[in-house]
Amino acid sequence: MSKSEILAVANVHPLYLKALKEVFHVHERAHEGDPAVFAELAPKIVGIAAGGESTVSRALLEQLPNLKVVSVFGVGYDGIDVKAAVGRGVMVTHTPGVLTDDVADLAMGLVLAVSRQIPQADQHIRHGRWSQGPMPLGRKVSGSRMGIVGLGRIGAAIARRALAFDMSVAYTARTEKPASGFQFYPTAEQLAAEADFMVVITPGGQGTRHLINAAVLSALGPNGVLINVARGSVVDEQALIQALQTGRIAGAGLDVFAAEPHVPEALWGMPNVVLTPHMASATHQTRRAMADLAFANMQAGVAGQPLLTPVPECQA
Ligand code: NAP
Ligand code: 8YV
C-alpha cells in the first residue's frame, strides 16, 4: 500500500519527523519550493505537520483540497488559521498537558535566575572574579507576590510551584476562576500593581497581542520583574526594552521573543535580564511525549479516527 503524503511546514522536531517518516511520505517545506512542483503535489497532501510557532495560512489551506488534519507539535497554535481550517473541514490538533510541568519549571527557573543572578554568579566564578570580591546582593523570592497572566494548564502549574515558595498568588485571565482560591484581577494592569513577579502564560495571536504594554509595565514598577514564557507577541517588546532601560521595571526573564530567533541586541547586555531560546518544553522526556502525541494525532486524523487532542475549536 502506498504511503499517505504529509507536508511538514517547518523544521519539525526530529523525534516527530522520524515517527512520521516511518509511516508516511513526508515532504519537508515543499510549499516553499518551486510553485509548479508544489501544485502537482498539493492534491495528494492529507496531513500537515507543524510546530507551535509555525504558520499555516488560509492561502496554504486553499491549495490543499484533500487535507484532513494539521497536527501541531506544541500546545500553542496561534500561527494556524483555525477558522479557515474548520471552514474546510480540516481538523487541528496540538499537544496540551504533556509539557505543562516543564514550562512551569522554566518559569520558576527564570524567576530565580533573574532574582538570584544565577547566570551572573556563574560568570563571576568562570571569569576569576570571586577572589576580587563577592557578587552584588540578590533579591529574595520566597514570600513575595506572584502575579500570573493566564491561569490555564500551565498558569495553574506555576501557581502550585509559587505556593511551595510561600508566595501569594494572584492572576488575570479572560474569566474568573473562583475555585482556584487565588485573587483575581480583571486586567493585567491591575494585577501588575499587586505583583513582584509577573509571569505571562497566555496563548499568542491577535487576542493577546501587546497585552503587556507600557502601562502594564509601569504598574509593575521599579521593583517588579516580568517573566514571559508565552509568546513574544503578548509583550510589546519595544515598551519592555524602554522600561528596562529606564528602570521602570527591575528585570525580566524571557523565553520568547517577537521575531524569533531574532532577539533585540538591546537586551543582550542588560545584567537584570535572563534570556533563553524558546526552550521551556525542551527536555528529552517532554519532547518524546510531545512527539508521540503529535504523531498519534496525525495517524488518527489521516485515518479519519477520533483525535486524541483536538484544539478547542475542533472539539464537538
Ligand atoms: P491554556 O490552558 O489554554 O491556558 C491559557 C490561559 O490564558 C487561560 O487561562 C486563558 O483564560 C488565558 N487567556 C487567554 N486569552 C487571554 C487574554 N486575552 N487575557 C488574559 N488571559 C487570557 O493553555 P496552556 O496549556 O496553559 O498554554 C498557554 C500558552 O503557553 C500556549 O498557548 C503557548 O503559547 C505558551 N507555551 C509556551 C511554551 C514555551 O516553550 N515557551 C511552551 C508551551 C506553551 P481563560 O481560562 O479565562 O480562558
Ligand atoms: C515548543 C511551544 O517549543 O508548545 C508550545 O506552544 O511553544 C513549545 O512547546 C514548540 O511548539 C516547538 O515547536
Side-chain angles (χ1 to χ4, degrees), residues 75-76 99 103 150-155 173-175 177 201-204 207-208 211 229-231 255-256 278 280-281:
V75 65
L99 41 63
V103 182
L151 198 72
R153 286 172 292 255
I154 302 171
R174 286 176 301 193
T175 52
K177 290 141 200 353
I201 187 63
T202 63
T208 54
L211 183 66
V229 285
R231 285 287 181 267
D255 185 51
V256 286
H278 200 150
S281 66

Side-chain angles (χ1 to χ4, degrees), residues 15-64:
L15 289 171
Y16 183 26
L17 192 60
K18 183 168 179 284
L20 290 171
K21 282 184 171 174
E22 280 166 16
V23 176
F24 301 110
H25 188 188
V26 183
H27 302 270
E28 294 176 57
R29 305 173 72 160
H31 62 309
E32 294 171 0
D34 183 337
V37 175
F38 186 60
E40 259 188 52
L41 170 67
K44 298 184 206 148
I45 298 292
V46 292
I48 285 182
E53 305 91 303
S54 299
T55 301
V56 175
S57 65
R58 178 180 289 274
L60 176 60
L61 292 166
E62 282 171 354
Q63 290 180 74
L64 306 174

Side-chain angles (χ1 to χ4, degrees), residues 63-88:
Q63 290 180 74
L64 306 174
N66 295 308
L67 185 68
K68 295 180 176 174
V69 60
V70 178
S71 175
V72 178
F73 176 94
V75 65
Y77 55 95
D78 43 287
I80 316 295
D81 191 331
V82 178
K83 197 171 165 208
V86 170
R88 302 178 66 81

Side-chain angles (χ1 to χ4, degrees), residues 181-308:
F182 303 132
Q183 174 73 48
F184 171 70
Y185 292 98
T187 68
E189 194 172 337
Q190 287 167 293
L191 176 69
E194 302 300 330
D196 298 311
F197 297 92
M198 191 160 88
V199 180
V200 185
I201 187 63
T202 63
Q206 280 311 312
T208 54
R209 185 173 162 73
H210 291 187
L211 183 66
I212 309 304
N213 56 24
V216 174
L217 295 168
S218 292
L220 188 57
N223 294 317
V225 172
L226 181 83
I227 306 293
N228 187 9
V229 285
R231 285 287 181 267
S233 60
V234 187
V235 174
D236 180 341
E237 208 164 65
Q238 286 313 310
L240 173 63
I241 289 168
Q242 274 182 12
L244 287 162
Q245 281 169 338
T246 56
R248 272 190 295 118
I249 67 169
L254 306 171
D255 185 51
V256 286
F257 304 89
E260 296 171 7
H262 169 75
V263 177
E265 281 190 37
L267 293 169
W268 295 15
M270 292 185 184
N272 50 345
V273 174
V274 176
L275 306 169
T276 53
H278 200 150
M279 58 171 230
S281 66
T283 65
H284 288 293
Q285 295 81 357
T286 293
R287 290 298 203 219
R288 175 82 266 163
M290 291 167 70
D292 289 349
L293 185 51
F295 175 66
N297 274 315
M298 180 69 85
Q299 270 200 311
V302 170
Q305 287 167 359
L307 300 163
L308 287 85

